[in-house]
Amino acid sequence: MEHVVWEIGLALAIMALAGYVANRLHVPIVPLLILAGMAVGPHLPDTGFLDLRFEASKPLIDFMGRIGVLFLLFYLGLEFSLNRLIRAGRKILVGGSIYIGINFTLGLLYGWLAGFPPREALAIAGITTITSTAIVAKVLVDLKRTANPETEMILGMIMFDDVFLAVYLAVLSGLVLSGATSVGGVVLAGLTAVGFIAVVLVLGRLVRPWLNRLLDIPSADVFRLVVFTALFLLAGFGETVHVAEAVCALLLGLVLADTEHRQRIEHVVVPFRDFFGSVFFFSFGLGLDPTALGGAVGIVLGAVLLTLVGNMVAGQLAGRTAGLSPRAATNIGVTITARGELSIVIANVAKAGGLSPAVQSFTALYVLVLAILGPLLTRESRAVYRALNAVFKWEPVQPGRSRRALAGEASPSPARPARTAEPGGSPVARPADGRGHRGDGHDPGT
């Protein structure tokens, strides 16, 4: 194909079809968007009839995917808040350390036992450790769990994960690109990432009154431009100091969540979040060639099993340390299962450093499996908890108590907040304090 607009139109039609099928089957849309991307793309042969290789438009689709990550994380930050993050600081440090410690150790051992050389094993450890910020954010929003008690811990672990990624990538790049490790460079990269995050959060608290006045803009068009300008400028600046742009978007959302304009910003962001978020997952699938994945099936299945076990153990330990119930801790373990864009970044560094091509095949199949399995397990976390509870006996089954009650589902209550509608027509709950729909994400059944 040669016409970019025509290609974009076809891509949107495929995404719309995937969304329609997901809606009809009542399954998460993320896996179907990835599979839809894999089903078409540059790896397809030229049939001469209807060319779906998207060669001219792929850079544009990839860029729109990057924008989708920004909006997903920005919205997630708005649903959280800086005050809540500060209150949960110790829990986040403890939970993140537990998660990284368990999964990185397991990944390093697995890579070594699978026969990979040391540098490839180090890459495998990062690929199997870093969870997908975008997929987790999308799943939390889709399942309306942003106000669940365990979501605070999940978001904190994601942020800890991204800080670890900055340090890890500095080490991996030094090893595979230059052939040597500079201790000074590694330390500087880590301190820069942590310092940037700390400065943004501290400044956000200090300038909140000023932000309230700045955003008091009558014009909807100007208000939208100001918000989007702040989002892209902060993400771009973070990228220049080696802090992931997704983390910057999340930080800006956290800062603006404590302003008087949070609800207005949410209403502006939601349509862009939904559209560009869908493009991101389609573009991710578009970059995968299904015919190159066959040789990695065995080692990927072992890694997936190890990841599921490691995440569940980490979720239980982190959740229990934070005082959460076994059910909430189970939700943590399954929600952080997805792997995606950040694992692909690590694989690209390995490729640039000339590491074994087996790392690429492993990454593609591993990410695909967990990008599909993660949202499905999260959606069915209630059943996962029941199965685990039957084995570990966390909560005894009382005579006459239903399985629904055992799963911790809330009974209908007359005090339940009234429901209203958010942009796009999804019904949401609005708490009594008038703070908008932070409570709309509460999923009492999970």
Side-chain angles (χ1 to χ4, degrees):
M1 290 185 287
E2 297 179 355
H3 303 288
V4 174
V5 176
W6 171 244
E7 290 188 17
I8 294 293
L10 287 176
L12 293 178
I14 294 172
M15 283 185 274
L17 179 61
Y20 176 79
V21 173
N23 186 53
R24 294 286 295 176
L25 297 178
H26 302 289
V27 298
I29 189 174
V30 170
L32 290 187
L33 286 173
I34 295 175
L35 289 174
M38 286 184 62
V40 296
H43 53 272
L44 286 180
D46 185 4
T47 60
F49 172 65
L50 182 60
D51 195 348
L52 295 175
R53 291 178 296 173
F54 299 105
E55 291 178 339
S57 61
K58 189 175 186 306
L60 180 58
I61 293 175
D62 290 342
F63 180 72
M64 289 196 293
R66 288 179 62 186
I67 295 176
V69 174
L70 294 184
F71 279 117
L72 281 171
L73 271 296
F74 181 51
Y75 181 83
L76 201 59
L78 290 172
E79 287 292 292
F80 206 35
S81 81
L82 190 56
N83 288 332
R84 290 175 65 189
L85 178 63
I86 293 174
R87 287 198 300 269
R90 179 183 172 277
K91 297 177 183 178
I92 289 171
L93 181 62
V94 173
S97 299
I98 291 172
Y99 171 75
I100 293 294
I102 291 176
N103 283 281
F104 192 80
T105 302
L106 289 177
L108 197 60
L109 288 174
Y110 185 74
W112 176 65
L113 292 174
F116 285 102
R119 293 193 301 170
E120 279 79 353
L122 182 62
I124 293 294
I127 290 165
T128 56
T129 297
I130 309 298
T131 191
S132 170
T133 305
I135 295 179
V136 171
K138 176 71 173 173
V139 169
L140 286 174
V141 172
D142 282 353
L143 297 180
K144 302 186 186 304
R145 295 183 180 182
T146 54
N148 279 17
E150 70 275 8
T151 300
E152 192 172 80
M153 173 64 74
I154 293 171
L155 292 177
M157 293 169 76
I158 288 174
M159 293 192 68
F160 192 91
D161 209 24
D162 288 333
V163 173
F164 169 78
L165 177 69
V167 179
Y168 167 79
L169 278 180
V171 176
L172 184 68
S173 299
L175 282 173
V176 305
L177 299 180
S178 67
T181 303
S182 169
V183 176
V186 170
V187 173
L188 180 61
L191 291 178
T192 300
V194 174
F196 179 82
I197 293 171
V199 167
V200 172
L201 294 181
V202 171
L203 281 180
R205 289 181 64 82
L206 294 177
V207 303
R208 186 169 52 190
W210 180 78
L211 288 174
N212 284 330
R213 292 194 296 272
L214 174 68
L215 294 174
D216 190 14
I217 304 171
S219 168
D221 292 339
V222 177
F223 180 81
R224 186 183 303 111
L225 282 174
V226 169
V227 171
F228 287 6
T229 298
L231 174 61
F232 281 83
L233 282 181
L234 184 63
F237 178 75
E239 191 177 27
T240 62
V241 294
H242 306 294
V243 176
E245 56 192 22
V247 174
C248 296
L250 180 60
L251 290 175
L252 181 63
L254 289 170
V255 171
L256 295 181
D258 288 325
T259 68
E260 300 169 352
H261 305 277
R262 181 180 61 85
Q263 292 184 52
R264 190 181 181 192
I265 297 172
E266 285 182 347
H267 291 166
V268 168
V269 167
V270 165
F272 294 88
R273 175 205 69 186
D274 293 342
F275 175 76
F276 287 104
S278 297
V279 176
F280 164 72
F281 295 106
F282 178 79
S283 69
F284 173 68
L286 206 62
L288 299 178
D289 182 0
T291 62
L293 306 180
V297 172
I299 190 172
V300 165
L301 291 179
V304 167
L305 180 61
L306 198 65
T307 300
L308 293 176
V309 174
N311 277 16
M312 194 54 63
V313 172
Q316 289 295 331
L317 290 176
R320 300 298 184 88
T321 303
L324 297 174
S325 68
R327 180 168 55 86
T330 302
N331 284 350
I332 294 175
V334 295
T335 303
I336 57 177
T337 296
R339 299 293 186 270
E341 70 285 354
L342 300 180
S343 296
I344 299 297
V345 170
I346 297 172
N348 287 340
V349 172
K351 181 180 180 181
L355 300 189
S356 170
V359 175
Q360 304 298 311
S361 300
F362 170 85
T363 306
L365 191 56
Y366 176 78
V367 167
L368 177 63
V369 172
L370 287 183
I372 295 173
L373 193 59
L376 290 176
L377 285 176
T378 305
R379 184 169 178 262
E380 301 299 329
S381 60
R382 188 178 303 160
V384 174
Y385 170 72
R386 286 171 179 161
L388 292 175
N389 189 60
V391 176
F392 296 103
K393 312 296 183 186
W394 290 318
E395 287 186 339
V397 178
Q398 302 294 333
R401 191 181 183 193
S402 68
R403 294 177 63 188
R404 183 180 178 85
L406 175 61
E409 295 179 25
S411 300
S413 169
R416 195 178 181 83
R419 299 181 76 83
T420 182
E422 69 174 6
S426 301
V428 295
R430 200 173 287 278
D433 61 1
R435 283 273 295 160
H437 59 270
R438 174 151 298 141
D440 62 4
H442 182 59
D443 179 6
T446 57

